[in-house]
Each structure stands twice: as structure tokens, then as C-alpha cells.
Amino acid sequence: MDRRSFLHTGSAAAALSLAPYAARAAASGDDAKLNAAFDAAFRAGILASPEAATQLGLDKGADAGLKHKLSDRTAAARKRNLERTRWAIGAIEAIDPAGLSAQSKLDREVVLYSLNGRTVAPEKFGLDSAVRPFTIFQQGGAYFSTPDFLNSAHTVTNAEDAEAYLDRLSAFATVLDQETHEQEADAAGGVVAPGFCLELTLGQMEALRKPAAGDSGLTRSLVRRTKDIPGDWEARATKIVAEKVYPALDRQYALIQKLRAKGRTSAGVWDIPQGEAIYAAALESSTTTKFTAAEVHEMGLEQVASITAELDSILKAQGMTQGSVAERLTALNVKPEQVYPDTAEGRVELIASLNRDLERVTGLLPKAFLNVTKAPLEIRAVPVEIQDGASNGYYRRAALDGSRPAIYFINLKSVGDWPKYTLPSLTYHEGHPGHHLQISTSQEAEGPLIRKTTFFGAYSEGWALYAEQVADELGAYQSPLERAGYLQSFLFRAARLVIDTGIHTKRWSREQATDYMVRTVGFARPRSQREVERYCTAPGQACSYKIGHISWVRAREKAQRIAGGKFDLKQFHEVIRAGAVPLTILERLVEERARSWA
């Protein structure tokens, strides 16, 4: 497409219900041209990703049809996505930054960084993403994401929503077959997840496929939400699951069984074509830095040593003196007073404790933040069907229009993974003052939608780790052991730097990496192994947390040096209203703000 066609596509951006989120409505001149290009790029992306439209609450009005669809998962769609990204880059680059306001210059720089980053994997490697190089694995593929998406993101409040659900249920079968075809083609070229990850994938597919069609979570989710909406929803959903979804899932299962039978035993991407280059690209994408794998590995070792020493002091003060720090933490993990019952009631009690922690820290936030967001947050257990491969905890942003709240998920496959002293830091990471505060604040701030929704893992995950530190400064940890849980969280992220680079560049095995986590962090072996298996299929992503945290801490320390006595922590934290940025830009922004205070 040419630039004129691109901007014409964006002229209908109002159809996306942009009015409540207008990008600096008073903008004029080149700023207005840039905002129009942003709106066009954003709209084009939303039209290609109906799931994103639903997640953001933009599948309404003229774009209500998107609620009936799922994204195309074919190689042809990947090619179209790349063409659209290049087209967006050209349209934005055509606007000379010399005529832009300071804020628009920043927006242009950040959006171009993000868009250019999206071209690397498809152009160089023929992949959607270097960080997620495999089509189907224990944490990826429609079989893993779509059932949860339909249950927790697709809202059902009327008959039209229910019809849209049924249309998406049919589309789910199509998408499964598309991904089966793509995975088969990828595997022929040597790009396939490790065999042990495919084993987990098969187990999760079996869990999804096991119930009768009428008892499937896909069916019951719609039945539960249409009990007051007239219609034969149960019978129709059951028919789609039985005649379309399950046969497509069976075909995909058969392929993964075949691939598993001759699956590779190596853990790292070094053992797939262009693996070393893919990892370098994944590391740069995840950290928004130019650090080499060797540099990241050494940083991890240094951080592990420093945090271990601090934990040692806390544990000794609590009378825990025997064994290594990890051994002492392992012993603490199984003390009866630290473990919730491994029952349905125990899980309810555990989630109740998380809500209490969230309420407590929320009351402390005005000491360090201005205009704290009031956006609601729900805490839920990871769906049972995907808990074997899912992360231990993760955050899902709210819809922009408030139609669906943000959700913080915790994996409760094993309650033993969550000793009580470790839970507050998780809530401060996923909830307040972590992901929920940062992402909700950014969504509520003035600015173009494309900036509100741009994601940089090192920025957001680094902030969430930094938020655990802020919670400590606010006095949110109620005992020395809870502070030990917070430091263990830091130790865990530092160990990831060592493990991720070890797997993908030093050719560590899954067992070698798991051994390192157990003896360094003190997590139970099953939990440690699940973590390691995730790193095997998401190269570089685990490094974003601690690299990002180091950058946030360094930026704050520099601001304090520059501003001296005029440093204001609340004003420092206001930088999150500018939206997510690469780490190099973050440190520059903070320095500029600090100089304005000095």
C-alpha cells in the first residue's frame, strides 16, 4: 500500500470508538498528521487481530463484526502482517520530526522502535517472533490460548454476544487446522519445540479434549453466561465442539504425537536453524538493549551472589543457619504454617489472602504515587486445562472501555508452590504497585491508542520488579520472612539471567538448568522445572525482568543525583504516564525530567 492508501484507511479510525481516548484532540499541524498516521496504523492492526480488539474493548459499533472472528494463523497472514508493518513505518517516517512537539517526537520515536522490532523475525527468520519461535508448544498455540480467551475476554451480555461466541467457536476449529499446517511446515524445516515441551503440550490437549462435547469448558462457558438469554445455546455450542473443534484438535494432536516421537532432546534454540541469531534477536527484543548473552550471564551471576548474601543475613536473624540459602528456603517452604491446604478450600483461602495483600498495599500507594488509578482488578486461578504449561503468575490488562476488568492469574496446580511468605511479593508484582498500576495508569493517560497499547517487556517487567522494591519501601511486607520472599523473587529473576543464557548459548540441558534453579533459588523442583521448560520455548523473555529492574533502579538513582534535594519520588513515578518505552529511552526521559526539577 502507498502512504495515501494507508492514511485513507485510517480516516475511519473513529469507528473504533476512539472518542474517549482521543490522542491530544487539540493537536494541529504535523502533530495532527502524526496522530492520523498512528490511528491508521492502530486501526489496521486491530482489523487484523480481532482478539486484540476484544481484549481492548474495541469490538463494538461499526467494528462489532470483529467480535465474531479470530485471527488468521497462516503463512500468508504473516506475510500480510509484515507488509502492513512496513507500510506503517513508511507513513510515520514520512512525517518530519522537526515540526513535531516534544511529546509527539517521543511518540514517533517509540512507535517506530516498536514497529521496526516487529519486522526482524519475519524478515530474517520467517517467524512471527524470535521470542516465540514455535507455532505449537506448552504455552503457545490456539489450543492453549483460545479457550481461555473465549472464557475470560469475550464478554457475553446479550444474544448478539452469544452468537459471536458461537462464530468464534467455529473459527477456533479453522485456526487449529491452520496452526497444524504451519507447525508441520515449520517442523520440516527443523523449527519445533523440544520433545519434553511437546509432551506437556499433548497432556494439555488431552485435558481440553477429555470431556464430552456438552461438558467441555468451551460449551459450559457459554451456557453459564446465557442462562438469562433466550436461545438454544447449549445444543448449538455442543454441536460445534463435537463436529468441528474436537476433530480439528484430534488432527493437531496426531501431528504433535508424530513430532514428539522423533522430538529433539536439546533444550535451547541453538539446535534449530539460525538458532544463535534467533536468540540474539530475542534477547535484544526482550531487553531493548544491546547486551550480549555473555554479558547477561555474568550480570546474572553477580546479582545472584549479591541477593543471596542479603537473604543469608535475614534468614540467620530468624535463627535459620544450617545449609545453603536455597536449602534453608526449601526447608521453610514445607513448614506446615507456611502451606495452604491442597484442597479447593485451601485455594479459596489462598486467593483471599492475595486480595487482602492487594487491599493493604493499595492503601499505602498515596505515599509514593499521585492520582492512583481506581481501575478494578480481579484475582483468579489459572484455568485447570492449561495450568501444566502456564506461567506461575501473569496479568491481563483491562478493556479500554471498562467492559472487562484487569485480571491477575495465579497458577494453583500445586499449592505447595506458594508458601505464604512468598505471596505478597507476587501480588505487588502483578497488582499494585506493579503491572496493574503501571498499565492502568498508562491506559488512562492522554495519548494515542497505539502508545497506550505498545508493550516492551523489559520496561513493564522491570517496573513490576521495581514495584516489589517500592512495596518494601512502603512497609507492605509485614514480617522479615515476607521480606525474604521478596528477595527470593529478586533472586529468582537474577537466576533466570544465568539459566536462559545457559540454555540457549551454553547448551545447558533441562535437567542442568532445573538443578541450578533448585540449588540457587530454593523453589520446589516441579515448579523449577515448569519455569525452565518455559524458557526453552520463549528464548530471552525471562531476561527482561532483572535487566529492566536494573534500569529502573539506575534511572531513579541518576534522577536523585541530578535533582538533589528537589527529588520527588511521586514525580519520578509520574513517568509511567508517558507509556512504555525501550530502556534506553526510559533512562533519557528520567534524566530530562530530573533536570527540570533541579
Side-chain angles (χ1 to χ4, degrees):
M1 295 185 185
D2 60 27
R3 180 171 174 270
R4 178 177 296 179
S5 298
F6 174 80
L7 293 176
H8 177 72
T9 303
S11 66
L16 279 168
S17 305
L18 297 180
Y21 317 105
R24 282 180 282 284
S28 60
D30 286 350
D31 278 14
K33 292 177 184 177
L34 181 66
N35 287 338
F38 282 162
D39 286 349
F42 183 80
R43 177 172 176 75
I46 287 294
L47 291 176
S49 179
E51 293 92 336
T54 293
Q55 292 282 11
L56 295 171
L58 297 176
D59 54 356
K60 296 176 174 63
D63 290 297
L66 293 173
K67 194 165 186 175
H68 294 252
K69 301 176 182 178
L70 296 175
S71 300
D72 188 339
R73 311 292 177 91
T74 62
R78 182 189 303 140
K79 183 178 179 181
R80 290 193 299 271
N81 290 340
L82 177 58
E83 289 172 350
R84 186 180 66 251
T85 303
R86 288 172 176 157
W87 152 62
I89 291 168
I92 294 168
E93 284 182 336
I95 299 169
D96 189 345
L100 298 174
S101 65
Q103 181 60 53
S104 288
K105 284 180 182 177
L106 173 65
D107 291 340
R108 181 182 183 275
E109 180 183 11
V110 172
V111 171
L112 284 175
Y113 184 104
S114 176
L115 292 174
N116 279 305
R118 292 181 206 171
T119 69
V120 173
E123 286 183 344
K124 290 187 176 181
F125 315 117
L127 303 171
D128 285 328
S129 165
V131 181
R132 294 174 71 86
F134 308 115
T135 300
I136 301 170
F137 56 103
Q138 81 275 19
Q139 278 198 312
Y143 89 91
F144 178 86
S145 61
T146 300
D148 186 29
F149 166 79
L150 289 173
N151 183 54
S152 61
H154 182 108
T155 54
V156 178
T157 58
N158 54 45
E160 179 63 22
D161 291 342
E163 291 289 351
Y165 184 101
L166 291 174
D167 286 343
R168 276 180 159 164
L169 201 54
S170 292
F172 180 31
T174 300
V175 168
L176 285 169
D177 280 334
Q178 288 174 343
E179 290 190 337
T180 299
H181 179 270
E182 292 306 315
Q183 179 61 83
E184 189 168 27
D186 289 348
V191 181
V192 63
F196 50 80
C197 292
L198 295 182
E199 190 70 35
L200 288 171
T201 302
L202 289 169
Q204 294 184 151
M205 288 181 175
E206 289 167 4
L208 179 61
R209 180 65 173 82
K210 183 177 180 180
D215 296 326
S216 165
L218 294 162
T219 301
R220 303 322 302 172
S221 175
L222 182 61
V223 171
R224 185 178 66 253
R225 293 183 287 166
T226 54
K227 57 186 177 182
D228 297 321
I229 302 173
D232 195 9
W233 310 113
E234 182 172 6
R236 292 173 67 191
T238 299
K239 182 178 175 64
I240 293 170
V241 172
E243 298 181 2
K244 294 183 178 182
V245 175
Y246 276 1
L249 186 62
D250 290 342
R251 290 187 287 273
Q252 189 166 103
Y253 184 90
L255 172 68
I256 300 303
Q257 267 192 320
K258 176 182 170 184
L259 297 178
R260 173 66 185 98
K262 54 182 179 180
R264 60 191 181 90
T265 57
S266 53
V269 293
W270 59 267
D271 196 23
I272 65 174
Q274 302 186 81
E276 291 183 4
I278 288 171
Y279 186 67
L283 195 61
E284 180 172 348
S285 173
S286 294
T287 66
T288 61
T289 71
K290 296 289 187 181
F291 289 132
T292 66
E295 289 171 329
V296 171
H297 194 84
E298 287 304 312
M299 290 168 67
L301 292 172
E302 291 170 4
Q303 290 277 313
V304 164
S306 173
I307 298 165
T308 298
E310 191 171 355
L311 267 167
D312 183 43
S313 297
I314 291 178
L315 295 175
K316 283 179 177 175
Q318 297 302 301
M320 302 175 68
T321 60
Q322 300 301 310
S324 69
V325 163
E327 287 169 343
R328 281 175 271 168
L329 290 171
T330 298
L332 180 60
N333 291 347
V334 296
K335 288 190 173 183
E337 66 272 19
Q338 287 293 337
V339 182
Y340 284 99
D342 191 15
T343 61
E345 294 76 15
R347 286 167 171 79
V348 169
E349 188 182 351
L350 188 154
I351 289 180
S353 78
L354 302 181
N355 279 293
R356 289 193 297 271
D357 290 336
L358 180 65
E359 183 178 2
R360 181 172 63 256
V361 78
T362 300
L364 299 172
L365 295 181
K367 295 180 181 180
F369 298 92
L370 298 171
N371 303 313
V372 176
T373 178
K374 304 294 185 187
L377 174 66
E378 291 185 9
I379 304 177
R380 299 184 190 175
V382 170
V384 172
E385 295 83 0
I386 62 172
Q387 65 186 8
D388 284 356
S391 304
N392 285 316
Y394 55 94
Y395 175 83
R396 179 172 292 160
R397 70 168 73 218
L400 288 168
D401 64 353
S403 59
R404 179 186 48 74
I407 305 169
Y408 141 32
F409 287 96
I410 180 171
N411 193 331
L412 296 182
K413 174 181 171 61
S414 171
V415 230
D417 287 344
W418 297 112
K420 295 177 182 178
Y421 76 97
T422 67
L423 288 169
S425 63
L426 178 71
T427 294
Y428 306 150
H429 183 106
E430 304 293 348
H432 281 156
H435 287 316
H436 185 56
L437 185 144
Q438 180 255 310
I439 292 173
S440 296
T441 298
S442 178
Q443 287 191 174
E444 293 165 2
E446 181 184 359
L449 273 173
I450 200 167
R451 283 281 283 115
K452 290 175 184 289
T453 55
T454 297
F455 176 81
F456 296 104
Y459 175 98
S460 295
E461 297 298 353
W463 169 269
L465 264 194
Y466 168 74
E468 295 180 44
Q469 176 180 323
V470 171
D472 183 40
E473 295 167 353
L474 291 173
Y477 300 105
Q478 295 190 299
S479 70
L481 285 183
E482 287 191 359
R483 282 203 76 247
Y486 140 65
L487 288 172
Q488 185 186 36
S489 170
F490 274 26
L491 181 60
F492 168 43
R493 273 46 179 245
R496 282 173 157 184
L497 301 181
V498 180
I499 293 169
D500 196 82
T501 52
I503 290 169
H504 296 292
T505 66
K506 296 180 180 296
R507 305 191 176 191
W508 286 14
S509 67
R510 173 181 61 164
E511 290 69 29
Q512 186 178 357
T514 302
D515 288 344
Y516 179 86
M517 181 169 284
V518 170
R519 71 171 182 265
T520 302
V521 182
F523 283 169
R525 190 170 189 86
R527 177 181 178 184
S528 297
Q529 183 166 300
R530 281 203 308 276
E531 282 290 331
V532 166
E533 289 163 343
R534 180 162 74 91
Y535 312 154
C536 296
T537 54
Q541 191 272 342
C543 298
S544 61
Y545 297 70
K546 203 66 178 71
I547 297 294
H549 172 253
I550 291 168
S551 186
W552 273 104
V553 171
R554 185 169 58 220
R556 174 171 156 178
E557 290 173 347
K558 189 168 187 178
Q560 289 173 312
R561 289 196 302 272
I562 292 170
K566 294 184 179 179
F567 177 79
D568 185 324
L569 185 60
K570 294 180 181 180
Q571 287 296 333
F572 169 74
H573 289 154
E574 283 292 281
V575 74
I576 62 175
R577 294 189 192 278
V581 297
L583 295 182
T584 50
I585 295 177
L586 168 65
E587 296 197 31
R588 189 188 78 211
L589 278 181
V590 169
E591 181 175 347
E592 290 170 356
R593 290 167 64 88
R595 293 195 186 285
S596 72
W597 306 332

